[in-house]
Amino acid sequence: MPELPEVETVRKGLEKLVVGKTIEEVTILWPRIIESPESEIFAQQLIGQTIEKMERRGKFLIFKLTNYDMISHLRMEGKYETHDPKEERTKHTHVVFTFTDGTELRYLDVRKFGRMVLVPKNQGENYKGILALGPEPIPTEFKLSEFRTGLKKHHKAIKPLLLDQRLVTGLGNIYVDEALWEAKIHPEQPADTLKPKEVEQLYYAIIDVLGRAVEAGGTTIRSYLNALGEAGTFQISLNVYGQTEKPCPRCATPIKKIKVAQRGTHFCPKCQTLKVRN
């Protein structure tokens, strides 16, 4: 599943591949991908639009066009590829943007969960899914004091709380496991029981893990590739995710896998103990 580092890598790739290009035609092969407006109107309104810039908010891509913002959420397995129009389209190609220079940008999605929506220019930040997001995981936006206050309001387990995107955006299953391991916090530890030092360790771990993953181009699990057709390399740096029964890099205890909020969860039972606190 593309998480924030993968989506940021896609954004960078699209910035190189399509910024400055003008859309001549849009072919929609699976209309449910288009959330709004109706697919026919969506396709018509994009004709003649130039892609001026590529932005990202959380896991949402925002295509900044001449008169619109096009918001794209890749969900589970969505991805973009550039092609020569003569190249055969695969069965998982659902939206095709043909440019005036004769090239194509294709949106592929094996599970068809991805969505696109067109909104007025510079209104992407007000889209309902984006409005619900917490701050980006960078020090200028993600503040330790606000994070600490937010955690104190919730007694639920720390892992599902981090996954819901409201305290900080961009953490998916892989990077929550990695950040919790780095901070030595059990994934089922109630959020409001974390001590100030633990909150601080988790805060810096989130910034560190996501920052390093962005730099590495993301984590390639199964067949995920970025917009340039390149695989990310962060998987070689994973300490716990997917490392079941392998020795913990810190203490050599075998990594365990459990279910937390219906998600496969990896942790070190020695470094990350569940603490009972009043």
Side-chain angles (χ1 to χ4, degrees):
M1 178 191 298
E3 297 189 21
L4 184 149
E6 289 75 38
V7 178
E8 174 62 13
T9 303
V10 171
R11 184 199 68 77
K12 290 177 179 177
L14 289 172
E15 196 167 53
K16 295 177 182 177
L17 294 168
V18 301
V19 166
K21 296 194 176 189
T22 299
I23 300 169
E24 184 175 80
E25 183 182 11
V26 179
T27 304
I28 300 169
L29 303 169
W30 185 258
R32 291 183 191 176
I33 296 287
I34 310 305
E35 184 177 302
S36 70
E38 292 183 6
S39 58
E40 295 86 354
I41 298 173
F42 177 93
Q44 185 63 37
Q45 290 181 329
L46 284 175
I47 294 174
Q49 294 291 306
T50 297
I51 302 174
E52 298 179 341
K53 190 178 180 182
M54 288 298 310
E55 295 185 352
R56 178 196 54 76
R57 179 72 173 95
K59 300 177 189 179
F60 291 90
L61 288 167
I62 305 176
F63 291 71
K64 306 293 287 187
L65 308 171
T66 311
N67 302 110
Y68 301 96
D69 283 0
M70 189 186 82
I71 301 162
S72 172
H73 198 309
L74 303 175
R75 298 283 175 88
M76 295 290 287
E77 296 190 31
K79 55 185 171 184
Y80 285 97
E81 295 178 354
T82 55
H83 288 270
D84 184 296
K86 295 176 184 177
E87 295 178 51
E88 185 178 353
R89 295 173 184 173
T90 68
K91 67 177 182 178
H92 299 304
T93 301
H94 304 310
V95 183
V96 179
F97 303 88
T98 302
F99 299 112
T100 54
D101 67 356
T103 60
E104 287 185 351
L105 178 67
R106 300 178 186 177
Y107 176 75
L108 297 84
D109 195 333
V110 174
R111 302 180 72 169
K112 301 177 181 176
F113 288 164
R115 292 293 180 266
M116 296 179 194
V117 60
L118 201 59
V119 300
K121 189 175 179 68
N122 298 325
Q123 292 301 305
E125 289 286 329
N126 295 321
Y127 174 64
K128 60 183 179 180
I130 292 177
L131 281 174
L133 297 177
E136 291 287 315
I138 53 177
T140 53
E141 297 185 26
F142 180 36
K143 303 298 183 183
L144 176 58
S145 59
E146 294 172 4
F147 184 52
R148 183 180 291 116
T149 299
L151 291 174
K152 282 296 181 185
K153 295 178 180 178
H154 298 277
H155 189 64
K156 70 190 295 186
I158 186 63
K159 176 166 181 174
L161 183 61
L162 293 176
L163 285 172
D164 80 5
Q165 308 298 303
R166 285 180 286 183
L167 289 180
V168 57
T169 190
L171 283 168
N173 205 40
I174 298 172
Y175 301 115
V176 168
D177 283 4
E178 291 297 308
L180 289 172
W181 177 85
E182 190 168 310
K184 300 182 181 179
I185 295 171
H186 192 283
E188 294 179 304
Q189 189 70 40
D192 62 353
T193 66
L194 293 177
K195 293 183 176 180
K197 184 64 175 177
E198 291 172 318
V199 173
E200 185 175 346
Q201 289 172 335
L202 179 56
Y203 169 81
Y204 286 112
I206 290 169
I207 293 173
D208 176 60
V209 166
L210 287 174
R212 287 189 292 111
V214 167
E215 192 172 320
T219 302
T220 300
I221 301 297
R222 295 191 297 274
S223 61
Y224 182 76
L225 298 174
N226 68 23
L228 297 172
E230 301 165 337
T233 61
F234 194 69
Q235 67 273 13
I236 64 175
S237 303
L238 294 174
N239 292 298
V240 285
Y241 186 86
Q243 309 301 305
T244 308
E245 297 304 327
K246 292 182 181 179
C248 168
R250 198 160 41 211
C251 72
T253 301
I255 298 298
K256 297 300 179 186
K257 182 179 181 182
I258 59 174
K259 279 286 183 73
V260 178
Q262 287 75 57
R263 304 296 295 274
T265 299
H266 307 77
F267 75 107
C268 172
K270 182 176 180 181
C271 293
Q272 299 168 264
T273 57
L274 183 59
K275 301 174 176 66
V276 178
R277 294 166 176 164
N278 296 325

